[in-house]
Amino acid sequence: MADKQTFPRIPSSNWWTLREQFRKTLPTGSGVTTSYLKSLLGLTSDQAARNLISPLRQLGLLDENSMPTALANDWRTDGKYPEATRQMLEKVYPSELRELFSGPDIDRQRLEAWFMGTGLGQKTAKDSASMFLLLNETAPRSGEELKKNTNRKKDGQVTAKKRRTANTIVASKAPAEATPPIQVPIAGSDNSLRPSTNDSWGKQLSLHIDLQIHIAPEATAEQIDHIFASIAKYIPLPTREE
């Protein structure tokens, strides 16, 4: 069985960040190493950096010693960028793919389906299609544009975080669901001995009232009796018939 064909996959943000750095200065000495890529791109592991070196070599931007090539020098130059990416497309991708999908209006779904047809998994096919579309961009993105996109992304993340926080606060302050009123039987009223709307008599809620009564020392016994008579009149005790 023939070996599955592999295609380069480099995230767009890494692609443009690396090109912007190459525009400032081409790496010399040890070339593009794992530590170079980790530091430049903010990668968290050596493996993540090694995963980028292979496609950079496959595209012809690095030689076997990971040193920038003449193509890399053209790639970092705005005026030569379209020709450099054209050479990469011809170097890596079959003519069938380049003939089926060209120009600015490429159908991404059909493109991903083509890569899956070569035996790639869905995620790998999606990433391979993204790389192909990236190489079909004829105009390079400027450093200023990249900075704006980065700031816009950060602003969007902050806005989303604020929105989530606001939603959490609103939810925490939302009023509790209203509880249906409870009817308590009162002696002498129309609803005497009527069960509460939430329960039966067997589980009826009790009503407890605490009163604080301040009586002046000079009050007479008759006045005190009158006070308690008034309380009994306006706050009758619940009764229940057997």
Side-chain angles (χ1 to χ4, degrees), residues 8-205:
R9 303 189 306 276
I10 300 175
S12 174
S13 58
N14 293 346
W15 175 263
W16 296 117
T17 301
L18 184 61
R19 181 179 182 272
E20 189 64 21
Q21 181 61 34
F22 273 29
R23 280 166 53 83
K24 296 175 182 177
T25 178
L26 284 172
T28 57
S30 300
V32 179
T33 61
T34 55
S35 60
Y36 176 94
L37 292 175
K38 283 179 65 177
S39 177
L40 175 64
L41 304 175
L43 304 177
T44 57
S45 68
D46 290 345
Q47 186 58 49
R50 284 193 291 270
N51 289 341
L52 293 176
I53 292 177
S54 179
L56 289 172
R57 289 175 178 170
Q58 189 178 6
L59 290 167
L61 292 173
L62 300 179
D63 62 19
E64 59 182 11
N65 296 317
S66 295
M67 298 297 295
T69 62
L71 182 60
N73 190 51
D74 291 343
W75 173 62
R76 70 172 186 155
T77 306
D78 288 350
K80 297 181 179 181
Y81 181 85
E83 175 60 22
T85 53
R86 185 191 65 77
Q87 291 182 39
M88 296 179 207
L89 286 167
E90 292 180 354
K91 173 180 173 62
V92 174
Y93 302 95
S95 58
E96 172 191 308
L97 176 63
R98 290 185 280 109
E99 290 168 0
L100 285 172
F101 304 97
S102 61
D105 301 319
I106 296 177
D107 187 322
R108 186 184 181 97
Q109 281 191 322
R110 289 179 55 235
L111 179 63
E112 292 179 6
W114 186 95
F115 280 107
M116 290 188 68
T118 66
L120 300 179
Q122 186 175 21
K123 177 64 166 60
T124 305
K126 183 177 180 180
D127 293 343
S128 298
S130 296
M131 185 76 243
F132 183 83
L133 291 171
L134 187 60
L135 291 171
N136 273 274
E137 292 186 23
T138 56
R141 301 180 191 177
S142 65
E144 188 64 28
E145 182 182 358
L146 294 176
K147 185 176 180 181
K148 288 181 180 179
N149 290 338
T150 300
N151 291 338
R152 191 179 301 117
K153 182 179 179 181
K154 290 181 179 178
D155 291 342
Q157 292 173 342
V158 171
T159 301
K161 183 177 180 180
K162 289 181 178 179
R163 188 181 297 113
R164 288 194 299 269
T165 302
N167 290 340
T168 301
I169 294 174
V170 170
S172 66
K173 292 184 177 180
E177 185 177 353
T179 302
I182 298 176
Q183 298 180 2
V184 179
I186 301 297
S189 64
D190 293 338
N191 64 344
S192 181
L193 304 181
R194 181 185 299 172
S196 69
T197 57
N198 286 356
D199 212 335
S200 65
W201 266 110
K203 298 179 181 179
Q204 184 175 341
L205 299 176

